[in-house]
Structure formats: structure tokens, C-alpha cells
Amino acid sequence: MFKSFRDKIQGIILVFLLIIESILAKCSITPDINGHVNMPASYTTIPIAAFYKCSSLRTVAFSGPITSIGQSSFFSSGLTAINIPKEVVTIGKLAFSGCSNLTNVTIPANSLLTSIEQGVFESSGLNEIIIPKGVNSISSNVFSGCSNLTKVILPDDSLLTSIEQGVFQSSGLTAINIPKGIKSISINAFSGCSSLIAVTIPVDSGLKTIEAKAFQSSGLTAINIPKGLVRIGESSFSNCQNLKNVIFEDNSDLKTIDAKAFQSSGLTAINIPKGLQRLSNGTFSGCTSLTKVTIPVDSALTEISPFTFQSSGLTAINIPKSILRIGESSFNNCSNLFSVMFSSDSALTVINHSAFQSAGLTAIEIPSTVKNILGKAFSSCSNLIFFTVSCASYMTIADDTFANSSSITTLELPPTVIYNGSISVDKIKSCADCPVGEFSTTGVEICTACNLGKTTSNSGTIGSDPSACMLCSVGYYRSGSSCIKCPTGKTTYVAGNSTKCYPQLSQYCDSETYVGSELVCTISSTKNICGTFIAESVIIQQSGSIICATAGN
């Protein structure tokens, strides 16, 4: 019963709409046999819906000055061409919308036209048009769906300040020059323009924002972003599969790239401006050809947001010191990502859920500043063998961090790290201090011996040769930056940077003991026979008397 009633209501509404349509479908002046209408001089405006769906209309001429063309005045008519009088100031909404046969619209250069309202030429047959410089407003969807429109000329000195929502959406444009006075390119302005290969923005452009989906699914191959641009909107270049290069000017003012801005585009490499403060969710996700991303060492970024590089073609990346957080799934499914390097003074604190899940990593060294590694951060990393954490680390690693990462053979964790996952205990190494004469680059029990003649000042030295091995070993003296072995019969008695060698002594002397009349021996550091102790001073005992001396090379 209810369905029958609903069907009846829908039928009544349909009939009503057809009646309205038939009333509106009219030719206020009947075209001649050739489809031509000559508007009488008494007309100063074209009335609303004057030729609405007037299918027999082909051309129109004006006898007197026309100042405005009314809303829907030629909507879906058979018009093929029109010369807009120079006196026209405004063209109303949908005036020529749906005129599929309208291929030629001429607006004189000295036109007084200032406003082209919403959808005026939407889905018409236009193939090209020149917009006079005096036009200061082109409203939304004016050329939307004009699949034959390949060329639109906007004068360099145009008074336009924005390209509004959907103005050229799904049109046939192949190229366009953006006037320098344009400050914003709005939502969907060029989305779906699959033939749009080139967009030229002047270097002195006033452009500040590119809004959401502005160039989504367009045919762009490259674009230069002007210095003054501060924001790139959500999905603005997403699915631009031919877009290989995006170039930012030096000292770019860009602060924000919104979510999915370049998702599934054809980018191969990109340099992130150093002043960029936010790289939002999924910005480069699905960019399978993107192999290289350069983030400056002095970058202003503090976070790599969730999904930023998910399923991209990245092979390596250097994470600058400013990054505090790596977001959820930010490198998830980056199967070609073999190298992730962190700045030596990294401030990273958190690696979030699934951040590197299914990445191609074989090894990674985690900065000591990290406090938390969350669930599945390195799960399904089938090539991951080495996971290294500094001895200076105090962190918690989620139990399922390495789920399904079966290739891990070395998991080097200090006692200060909390991990209760499935990696067997015999794979977990604890930190151990390297002995004197050896050093570690990571603080984890992999010790390297100093070069011959050099040593460390104490055990547990962390650094790199030569910075770790600063002292000359016993038996060697300092010559410039080198440690030279002492001549036969001479030595140094402590590791250090002595530039002299001393007579080789057989034993330590005691202040009360003499051994032989010609025996020489070293002074003990706990004795004070020769006054204030000086390292590597020696006592020479001759004929029962003690002589304090230092011997040269």
C-alpha cells in the first residue's frame, strides 16, 4: 500500500516537472528559418530564461546596447555562436549552460564586462575563449564540463584575484597561464582536466593558496610553485599520474601541505622546503614512482604524519633532527625502503603504530631519544635483520613490534629497554663496556680495537676512531697526530701524550730501598721522593745517592 502511494506521489511530481519544463522551454522571439534572431533595440537586457531550451535558435544579433544577459537566458538552446556586446556588464547564472552546439563566444577587448556568474558556460560546446582584463569575478563552475574547451586566455594584467570552485573542472584545457594577480585557486578548479599538461605561474605571482582537489586527476606533468604560496590543500594534486616534478622556489614561504595532496601522483623525487611546518596525513601515499625525498637538515618539520609515505616507492630517507614523531603507518608497505638514517643529534621520541610495517628495511639504528615504539611498528619486515638501540636508551618497545618479522637475527637491546615480545632471549644482547684500548660506535657490545700505538682513556668509550682513541699507548710517544714507538731501551710509563721517551727501568723503587749501585727505576705515583710528583719523572740511583731526572728521546 505504502509503496503504491509513494509511486503515485513520485508520478505526480514527475508530471509537474514536465509541465514546468514545457512552460519554460520557449523562444521569446521566434527564430527565422535559419535559426537567427535579431533582438529589437527596445531590449537593454536579455530576460531570464528568454530562450530557455529554444532548440531552433542558432545565432542572435543585438540592435541596441545590452547591459546584462539574464539567468538561464540561453540555457540548453541550439545557439552556435554569439558576440557579446561591449556594453554587457554581467552575464547571469547558467546563461549559456548546456548549449552543446555553442562553439564560438566573442567578447571584445574593450568590453565593460566585470562579472561572469555561476555555471554560465557549463557543459557548453565552447572550444576557446578570451577573457577581457576588466573581468574581476568568474564564479564557480563557469566552464565546468566544457570537454571541447582547449584554450582560455586570461590576460597577465587581469583584475581577477581568484579562480573559483570548479571553474574549469573536467574541461578540455591543455594549458593555461595564471595571471600574477591571482591569490587563490579554489576547490576543484581544474580537477578532472585530463588533457591539462601545463600550468604556468609567474615568479612574481601573488598566489597564496591552492585549495583542495584544485588539480586532482589532471594531466599535469610538472609545476613550479611560486615563493609566496603558503598552503597546498587536501588532494590538490592527487591522482595526477603524469606529474613527475614539483619544484619549490628557493626560500619558499610554504608552511602546510594538507592531507593526500600528492597521493597516487607520478612524482619521482621531491625536495621539501625547509620552512614547511606540516606535512599532513597521506601526503605522498601511493606514489609508487617516488624514490627520493629530501628533507633539509634544518627543516622546520616536527612530525612525519600518519600514512605520509605509505605504499610509496621510497628507497632511502634521512630523518632530520627536528622530527619528534613518526606517525602511524607513515612508511607502511614501502617495500623498496632499505635505508632510514637519523640525525646524530635526533630529538625523535615516538615511533607510532605500524610506522614501518612491511617496509624493505634490512637494518635500523634507533636514536637514544626515542621513548616509545608502538604496536607493529616493524611488523612484517621480512628483510629486517639488525635492530640496534643505543646503550643510552630508556624506552618501551611494544610486544608485537616485530610481529611476522622472522628474519631478525640480532636484536641489540640494553637493560634499560623494556621489551617482552616473542624474540627469543638468546637473540637479545645487553650492553657491555669496551675495555681500555677498544671502543664502540653505538654503545652496544661491538667493540673495535684502537689502531696500533693508540688507546682510550678508560673503559666503556663510545665514539669513533680517531676521536675515541685519543692517547698514545705505553711505549709510544706523541709526534703531531701520530703515536711513534719508543727506541729500544726507552719507553713511556703511562698512556698519554708525552713527546719524550725515558730509560726503560726494571722495577719500581721505594724511598727506603736501594738495589745495586747502578740500578735505575721509576718513581711510584704514591711516593714523593723527588718532591711534587710529575708524571714520567724517574729516579736514577747511582752509588747510593738518588738523582731526580727526566730523560729525553
Side-chain angles (χ1 to χ4, degrees):
M1 177 72 70
F2 176 76
K3 184 177 179 181
S4 176
F5 177 73
R6 184 184 63 185
D7 290 344
K8 287 180 180 179
I9 293 297
Q10 288 178 341
I12 292 170
I13 291 172
L14 180 60
V15 170
F16 177 76
L17 291 174
L18 289 172
I19 293 171
I20 296 297
E21 183 79 3
S22 65
I23 294 171
L24 289 174
K26 63 180 181 179
C27 301
S28 59
I29 298 176
T30 304
D32 64 19
I33 193 170
N34 296 314
H36 179 73
V37 167
N38 190 44
M39 297 294 296
S42 59
Y43 281 82
T44 58
T45 65
I46 305 298
I48 293 174
F51 295 94
Y52 186 93
K53 290 196 171 184
C54 181
S55 58
S56 60
L57 181 66
R58 297 292 179 267
T59 59
V60 61
F62 305 96
S63 301
I66 300 293
T67 59
S68 66
I69 297 175
Q71 180 175 332
S72 302
S73 52
F74 294 94
F75 183 90
S76 291
S77 70
L79 196 66
T80 60
I82 190 171
N83 292 332
I84 305 294
K86 72 174 185 178
E87 295 84 7
V88 171
V89 176
T90 61
I91 302 176
K93 293 179 182 179
L94 304 173
F96 299 95
S97 176
C99 294
S100 57
N101 296 322
L102 180 63
T103 60
N104 185 15
V105 173
T106 303
I107 308 174
N110 62 347
S111 171
L112 300 178
L113 185 65
T114 61
S115 176
I116 302 174
E117 296 184 1
Q118 180 180 344
V120 164
F121 297 102
E122 185 176 18
S123 301
S124 69
L126 271 180
N127 50 48
E128 66 176 75
I129 192 169
I130 300 173
I131 305 297
K133 75 173 186 178
V135 174
N136 57 39
S137 174
I138 298 179
S139 298
S140 60
N141 301 104
V142 165
F143 299 101
S144 174
C146 294
S147 58
N148 296 325
L149 181 64
T150 60
K151 186 177 182 180
V152 173
I153 297 177
L154 301 173
D156 293 339
D157 56 352
S158 170
L159 296 182
L160 287 171
T161 58
S162 66
I163 296 177
E164 295 295 337
Q165 179 174 339
V167 167
F168 298 102
Q169 186 175 21
S170 300
S171 70
L173 277 179
T174 58
I176 193 166
N177 293 335
I178 305 297
K180 67 180 181 180
I182 296 292
K183 295 180 180 179
S184 67
I185 298 176
S186 297
I187 297 171
N188 286 317
F190 297 93
S191 67
C193 294
S194 57
S195 298
L196 182 62
I197 296 173
V199 171
T200 303
I201 305 173
V203 293
D204 58 346
S205 170
L207 189 64
K208 297 296 183 184
T209 60
I210 296 175
E211 301 288 353
K213 302 180 183 179
F215 294 95
Q216 185 181 50
S217 300
S218 70
L220 279 178
T221 58
I223 191 166
N224 284 29
I225 303 297
K227 178 183 181 300
L229 192 80
V230 295
R231 185 169 68 87
I232 295 176
E234 181 178 347
S235 300
S236 48
F237 296 93
S238 67
N239 204 36
C240 292
Q241 297 177 2
N242 297 321
L243 182 62
K244 307 297 182 187
N245 295 306
V246 173
I247 299 171
F248 299 98
E249 289 191 22
D250 293 339
N251 300 315
S252 171
D253 294 334
L254 189 65
K255 296 294 185 287
T256 302
I257 299 178
D258 284 340
K260 303 177 184 178
F262 296 95
Q263 184 181 47
S264 300
S265 69
L267 283 174
T268 57
I270 194 163
N271 294 328
I272 303 298
K274 71 177 182 179
L276 187 71
Q277 296 174 356
R278 181 167 178 76
L279 198 61
S280 302
N281 295 11
T283 300
F284 299 101
S285 62
C287 294
T288 56
S289 298
L290 182 63
T291 59
K292 184 178 181 181
V293 172
T294 302
I295 307 175
V297 294
D298 55 349
S299 171
L301 283 174
T302 59
E303 179 181 12
I304 296 178
S305 297
F307 311 100
T308 297
F309 298 102
Q310 185 181 40
S311 300
S312 70
L314 273 181
T315 58
I317 192 167
N318 290 347
I319 308 294
K321 66 180 181 181
S322 61
I323 297 297
L324 304 177
R325 297 173 298 279
I326 295 179
E328 179 183 352
S329 297
S330 48
F331 296 94
N332 189 327
N333 202 35
C334 292
S335 57
N336 296 322
L337 182 62
F338 299 111
S339 174
V340 174
M341 300 294 292
F342 298 96
S343 171
S344 59
D345 54 353
S346 172
L348 187 68
T349 60
V350 177
I351 299 176
N352 261 297
H353 298 276
S354 306
F356 294 95
Q357 186 176 31
S358 300
L361 290 170
T362 57
I364 192 166
E365 184 174 340
I366 305 299
S368 61
T369 53
V370 172
K371 302 303 179 189
N372 290 285
I373 298 178
L374 303 182
K376 297 185 178 180
F378 294 92
S379 66
S380 300
C381 292
S382 57
N383 298 319
L384 184 62
I385 298 174
F386 296 104
F387 181 89
T388 305
V389 176
S390 167
C391 273
S393 298
Y394 291 83
M395 73 174 69
T396 299
I397 300 177
D399 294 352
D400 59 349
T401 293
F402 305 100
N404 301 316
S405 295
S406 56
S407 296
I408 293 181
T409 59
T410 304
L411 187 59
E412 298 170 344
L413 302 178
T416 52
V417 171
I418 299 173
Y419 171 70
N420 297 307
S422 60
I423 304 293
S424 59
V425 174
D426 59 0
K427 289 183 179 180
I428 301 179
K429 296 185 176 183
S430 62
C431 292
D433 287 345
C434 295
V436 173
E438 296 183 8
F439 65 93
S440 169
T441 57
T442 63
V444 182
E445 69 173 16
I446 301 174
C447 299
T448 303
C450 292
N451 290 333
L452 184 65
K454 293 187 176 183
T455 190
T456 59
S457 58
N458 49 44
S459 62
T461 299
I462 299 173
S464 60
D465 193 19
S467 66
C469 303
M470 297 290 291
L471 306 180
C472 292
S473 302
V474 172
Y476 288 79
Y477 69 94
R478 172 72 63 186
S479 176
S481 61
S482 301
C483 293
I484 309 299
K485 187 174 177 61
C486 289
T488 302
K490 294 186 177 184
T491 190
T492 54
Y493 289 93
V494 293
N497 290 307
S498 174
T499 58
K500 298 178 180 180
C501 291
Y502 301 92
Q504 193 160 4
L505 309 174
S506 59
Q507 59 182 308
Y508 283 97
C509 282
D510 186 285
S511 61
E512 306 296 331
T513 303
Y514 304 92
V515 182
S517 61
E518 299 295 330
L519 185 65
V520 292
C521 57
T522 61
I523 191 171
S524 168
S525 62
T526 61
K527 303 298 180 181
N528 198 23
I529 297 174
C530 295
T532 303
F533 173 69
I534 303 173
E536 297 185 356
S537 291
V538 298
I539 303 169
I540 303 175
Q541 181 187 350
Q542 291 182 331
S543 303
S545 62
I546 296 174
I547 301 172
C548 289
T550 57
N553 290 352

